[in-house]
Amino acid sequence: MKFIDSKLGVPLPERGYGGNCLIFDPGNKTDPYHNIWDKLDGFVPAHFLGWYLKTLMIRDWWMCMIISVMFEFLEYSLEHQLPNFSECWWDHWIMDVVLCNGFGILCAM
């Protein structure tokens, strides 16, 4: 495939999600919430759609929420092997569990 498109076959750069965990950054006068906007990427709709579809299959709110929280603990335990699993606390619990996963589960119920 690299012969067709020379941009293929190039390793993608690793993206760090756990660097600066300030929700409000008073040092950045132009956009103090830049840390939140930096975390919003393709994984946000992927989390939502994934849990929407999982909930359509499992059909149990409690079981889906337990699995969602356990996936976050799994990410914590694999941070040392996969650097992109290193996220801020609010990225794990507020953005992932409550907003993306929780809203996907709620919409599917």
Side-chain angles (χ1 to χ4, degrees), residues 15-80:
R15 181 160 180 213
Y17 291 93
N20 187 356
C21 290
L22 291 175
I23 295 174
F24 181 82
D25 186 5
N28 190 334
K29 301 295 183 198
T30 58
D31 186 12
Y33 295 102
H34 66 94
N35 288 327
I36 295 174
W37 311 132
D38 289 343
K39 306 293 190 277
L40 296 175
D41 57 4
F43 289 111
V44 172
H47 273 263
F48 172 79
L49 291 173
W51 280 102
Y52 180 82
L53 295 173
K54 287 175 195 142
T55 305
L56 288 178
M57 291 185 283
I58 297 172
R59 300 303 299 162
D60 186 339
W61 185 84
W62 282 107
M63 183 60 68
C64 289
M65 286 305 292
I66 289 169
I67 294 170
S68 171
V69 169
M70 293 310 293
F71 269 124
E72 293 304 317
F73 282 122
L74 183 68
E75 283 187 10
Y76 270 129
S77 69
L78 294 173
E79 282 181 357
H80 64 284

